Amino acid sequence: MPLGIERAAAYVPRTSVQGRRSAAADEDGFTMAATALERLGDGGSPPGPSPRLLVAGELPPSADADLPRFLGVPVTVERVGSGIESVRTALSAVAVAPEPPPPILFVAVDRGSGGPNDSDAAVALRCTADGALPVDRVVAELEGKGPPSAGPLLRFGTGRAAAEPSRWVGDFAPGAVHPVAPTPRETPLVPNAPVSQGAYVPRPRYLEGVGAHWRFEGERCDACGAIGFPPRGRCRSCGATDRLRPMPLPRDGGMVVAATTIGPGGQPTELDEQVERSGPYGVVLVDLVPGVRVTLPVADSSAALAIGRRVGTRLRRLYPMEGEWRYGRKAVPLE
Amino acid sequence: MGHRAAIVGAGHTRFGALDAGPRALLRSAVDEAFASVDRAVDRASVREAYLATLGFGGWQIGNSAAVLAEEAALPGIPVTRVENACASGGSAIRAAVRAVEGGAPGLVLVAGLEKMTDLPSARRRYWLGVSGDTEWERSAGLTFAGVYGLIASRYLADHPNGRDALVEVAVKNHGNGALNPKAHFQKRIERSDVERAPRVADPLGLYDCCPVSDGAAALLISAADHAREYTDRPVFIDGMGAGSDRLAVQERPELTQFGASRWAADEAFRSAGVDRADISFLEVHDCFTIAELLALEDLGFAPPGGGAEMTLAGETRRDGRLPVNPDGGLKAKGHPMGATGISQAYEVFLQLRGAAGARQLAHPHRALTHNVGGAGATATVTIYSVG
């Protein structure tokens, strides 16, 4: 039974460097893939048991473990390489999946070649038996395209999928160019200064908090109706512990209720390097829904966000800790 | 309601960037406290000691209260370190009062200490930040300046005259500090100094923030009934309150009110059996200028937004209706975290006994101290009178 593309989504960074859409310093292949998957809808969380997640392109090795954490459901990650050939092979394999075909997620990240008109981009596809756009047509379309993985797929998507019953969304908005100083293509993962333990959260506790930090997963109390965030396993309102269930909170559309800009000297030590490189940064308090508030850094290269503004949120890199990047959501202007 | 305990002696080091280490600071404050007792006092009459400190000097974290016993020459006495971040001092006073409340004879020593300038900048900023919420606030890039910056942004959005009031708090407290020979900053500043200072956490600038200071302070506390064995002029503790709130500001319904301060104040006034109108002056926790405005409102001296109005009307100046922080406050006197709550009581001890020198207020008879941990996760309020 052939699979079709049910939904497609792209993520192209807003930052423009000499006409090329370039990821910001706090983005990497993982955050770009996560953002594209998120845009498939419902946070990209696929229903059903153990769906496959095919991964192509330039994602850090840690993404193999972090992508299932981000989706919040058990998925089997399969790396299918980075070249267009491997993408085509992978999609061909999808097209002839055995019956009954489970849903398959596909995500590709292209960090571009650095040349003009070769932007950083991420593409996510959700393939099911009900998908309206046959995968083999996509494969045929990709024949003879150049080497980068997501680029041709993205161009295919923008030119083609818009006319199909699939959704295509992205940050790419022609004319909306935000010129900034060129950022390093990759920020090196440097160990913290030996004394920097400012936001030290031990790794097991960091991983425990991924649902709240990466997906804004709160808890709703069926006893009294209160929403708790972050979830603590006890209703803040009535104290119940046995009638709580996970409740996803909206990742976009929250309102800024307080805003500050941290100048040099006001930052915790783990952000010293970032401040040295990028200067002051914003932090906002955002009401996701009435009564549920979260503290968020403003994403790199975003303009200051004032009280009263509606904002979106994105997964971004925060700072290095224990030899790895720590990730969390940051606020971005809502389009 | 009567007196619950009495302060019979108090000592205080200079606050500032000091050469002296934690041991020397403790010894100096404790020796001065003993010397301040009017009648001869035998150190053997001290039954117990409490040390308020967050990090000692960022290194002797565990068992640091034993060092207090060593430096106070009180070998063998029971000691306890009390830690509620910047409210450690107020919390230690509360513990000491409870230790003598039943009328037990003898004295309890309470000392507060922080030695902050020994540390390299990065390590110091670590210590300044460990008392906030780590998983959400620190991870978002906030130190306490940032948390109070967020709170200030909301206050200014709700009360447009707040910006002028923040400047006024800084100018007033620096003016008071200029009269305090133990203050970290003893220099008057102009409004333009505050307004032109670099922004640390907008809308807060450098002059909206208290300094990083070294220092120690100590009190000798007796049961109220035994106070006159030590002095004819005891300063009585009549009411105490304490409270706590959710650690992360994002989990509190109100951004510009500290529930912990409100509950502590209500309990303190109830237990002292006095009204707001009975208070001669306040020592409030102005770690940032915005915190002084919040304090006036949380303590019940002004409605929401009224803290700014009171300040702009000059009511909180030394010659105003309700002087606030006559010693310069945390803003100018300095803020060695564990010592701050003790230092506030030291100022009350001087003022109520008419011994505050150039900054002496006119005939104060009852005072209130307000000590906050972090951005309001803990707070204590204490009410004093003079016999």
Side-chain angles (χ1 to χ4, degrees):
Chain A
M1 183 185 233
L3 288 184
I5 297 176
E6 180 195 84
R7 274 181 278 175
Y11 171 64
V12 183
R14 293 192 74 89
T15 313
S16 176
V17 179
Q18 293 160 353
R20 172 180 172 267
R21 299 282 164 165
S22 173
D26 58 355
E27 296 183 275
D28 62 16
F30 166 58
T31 64
M32 292 172 67
T35 303
L37 283 167
E38 189 165 71
R39 290 177 165 222
L40 285 176
D42 299 330
S45 302
S50 300
R52 297 166 65 192
L53 173 61
L54 308 185
V55 177
E58 297 163 74
L59 286 84
S62 55
D64 288 6
D66 281 338
L67 282 170
R69 288 188 186 115
F70 177 74
L71 294 173
V73 291
V75 294
T76 309
V77 175
E78 300 165 47
R79 290 263 179 174
V80 296
S82 57
I84 194 64
E85 193 60 30
S86 58
V87 172
R88 196 170 54 75
T89 306
L91 288 178
S92 302
V94 167
V96 296
E99 296 184 59
I104 293 181
L105 295 172
F106 175 84
V107 65
V109 174
D110 181 9
R111 297 304 304 269
S113 63
N117 304 318
D118 188 10
S119 296
D120 292 349
V123 174
L125 307 175
R126 185 183 146 83
C127 309
T128 67
D130 300 327
L133 183 61
V135 169
D136 50 12
R137 276 176 53 192
V138 177
V139 173
E141 196 77 28
L142 289 173
E143 293 288 352
K145 294 276 164 69
S149 55
L153 200 54
L154 175 66
R155 281 194 287 279
F156 170 81
T158 47
R160 187 60 181 269
E164 301 286 344
S166 57
R167 283 189 356 191
W168 192 272
V169 289
D171 272 0
F172 186 80
V177 174
H178 299 259
V180 296
T183 51
R185 184 173 159 80
E186 277 296 332
T187 309
L189 176 59
V190 293
N192 287 342
V195 294
S196 175
Q197 301 273 300
Y200 179 70
V201 177
R203 192 160 191 275
R205 299 286 74 75
Y206 165 67
L207 295 179
E208 181 186 52
V210 155
H213 281 273
W214 294 6
R215 297 194 299 274
F216 286 165
E217 196 171 279
E219 63 193 2
R220 187 181 186 281
C221 175
D222 283 338
C224 75
I227 299 169
F229 182 85
R232 301 265 194 234
R234 178 189 297 277
C235 176
R236 289 163 171 77
S237 186
C238 74
T241 56
D242 56 347
R243 299 187 62 190
L244 299 167
R245 57 185 166 81
M247 172 164 181
L249 292 159
R251 302 177 199 185
D252 287 323
M255 192 177 73
V256 176
V257 296
T260 186
T261 302
I262 308 295
Q267 78 280 11
T269 48
E270 62 274 9
L271 295 180
D272 282 357
E273 204 225 346
Q274 179 198 306
V275 168
E276 182 92 1
R277 190 182 64 238
S278 312
Y281 59 90
V283 181
V284 289
L285 275 174
V286 174
D287 278 0
L288 298 177
V289 295
V292 178
R293 193 166 285 165
V294 64
T295 316
L296 297 173
V298 176
D300 198 64
S301 79
S302 291
L305 299 173
I307 289 175
R309 278 199 64 166
R310 298 277 170 186
V311 294
T313 69
R314 294 278 166 68
L315 193 72
R316 292 288 176 103
R317 270 199 316 220
L318 297 179
Y319 46 80
M321 186 71 65
E322 292 186 344
E324 64 184 2
W325 284 103
R326 292 288 172 89
Y327 298 93
R329 299 194 80 83
K330 294 188 180 182
V332 297
L334 195 62
E335 288 149 51
Chain B
M1 296 266 186
H3 308 311
R4 297 175 65 173
I7 304 172
V8 301
H12 197 290
T13 67
R14 172 84 199 264
F15 280 4
L18 308 174
D19 291 334
R23 285 178 177 273
L25 290 171
L26 279 176
R27 182 186 301 196
S28 169
V30 170
D31 284 354
E32 189 179 298
F34 277 110
S36 75
V37 180
D38 293 329
R39 302 195 216 295
V41 57
D42 182 355
R43 291 201 182 205
S45 62
V46 176
R47 296 188 291 109
E48 182 160 9
Y50 292 92
L51 175 63
T53 188
L54 174 62
F56 194 78
W59 46 282
Q60 186 64 57
I61 316 294
N63 265 336
S64 51
V67 179
L68 171 62
E70 289 179 23
E71 295 306 325
L74 298 166
I77 66 162
V79 294
T80 307
R81 168 182 165 224
V82 177
E83 191 281 298
N84 270 342
C86 309
S88 297
S91 303
I93 292 172
R94 184 175 155 87
V97 169
R98 289 190 158 171
V100 299
E101 228 169 356
L107 296 171
V108 172
L109 169 66
V110 194
L113 164 80
E114 220 68 55
K115 175 67 194 176
M116 302 175 71
T117 65
D118 282 354
L119 301 171
S121 161
R123 193 164 178 87
R124 181 168 70 232
R125 279 182 292 144
Y126 166 51
W127 275 104
L128 285 172
V130 293
S131 307
D133 172 80
T134 303
E135 288 184 83
W136 293 92
E137 291 174 358
R138 286 302 297 261
S139 296
L142 293 177
T143 57
F144 276 120
V147 176
Y148 277 96
L150 285 174
I151 292 169
S153 77
R154 186 71 243 175
Y155 192 96
L156 298 192
D158 295 342
H159 310 293
N161 61 350
R163 192 174 292 273
D164 274 349
L166 296 182
V167 177
E168 175 59 25
V169 168
V171 171
K172 168 184 74 76
N173 288 352
H174 272 269
N176 291 348
L179 300 174
N180 182 353
K182 291 183 173 176
H184 190 152
F185 295 136
Q186 301 175 28
K187 189 164 90 52
R188 294 181 165 281
I189 56 170
E190 305 294 330
R191 292 185 62 90
S192 57
D193 294 325
V194 184
E195 289 161 349
R196 287 181 199 152
R199 299 295 96 181
V200 174
D202 188 71
L204 302 178
L206 194 58
Y207 279 103
D208 290 289
C209 309
C210 67
V212 169
S213 316
D214 306 326
L219 305 173
L220 289 164
I221 291 179
S222 79
D225 292 345
H226 293 283
R228 292 187 199 278
E229 297 166 20
Y230 303 96
T231 176
D232 291 333
R233 299 175 300 157
V235 167
F236 291 107
I237 293 175
D238 297 337
M240 294 193 305
S244 66
D245 204 344
R246 299 202 73 96
L247 181 60
V249 171
Q250 70 180 35
E251 294 197 43
R252 305 181 197 155
E254 297 291 340
L255 285 178
T256 54
Q257 298 179 6
F258 286 167
S261 293
R262 290 175 172 249
W263 302 316
D266 287 347
E267 185 193 340
F269 277 106
R270 195 167 48 241
S271 65
V274 299
D275 298 324
R276 265 76 176 172
D278 296 324
I279 303 294
S280 307
F281 75 97
L282 309 179
E283 279 283 305
V284 306
H285 196 94
D286 61 326
C287 48
F288 299 91
T289 49
I290 181 67
E292 182 163 318
L293 304 186
L294 301 189
L296 292 170
E297 298 167 18
D298 289 335
L299 296 171
F301 291 94
E309 284 175 34
M310 270 180 81
T311 301
L312 290 171
E315 294 179 30
T316 59
R317 294 180 192 161
R318 275 192 317 111
D319 59 357
R321 180 177 66 82
L322 182 70
V324 175
N325 292 335
D327 58 357
L330 284 59
K331 176 72 210 63
K333 183 185 59 179
H335 181 31
M337 297 179 283
T340 286
I342 316 290
S343 168
Q344 293 176 326
Y346 171 85
E347 178 68 6
V348 168
F349 187 76
L350 295 189
Q351 289 283 357
L352 292 187
R353 288 159 52 110
R359 65 184 189 281
Q360 179 64 48
L361 302 172
H363 312 299
H365 62 280
R366 194 170 270 122
L368 178 150
T369 60
H370 162 252
N371 195 195
V372 174
T378 51
T380 67
V381 173
T382 310
I383 294 172
Y384 314 75
S385 66
V386 68

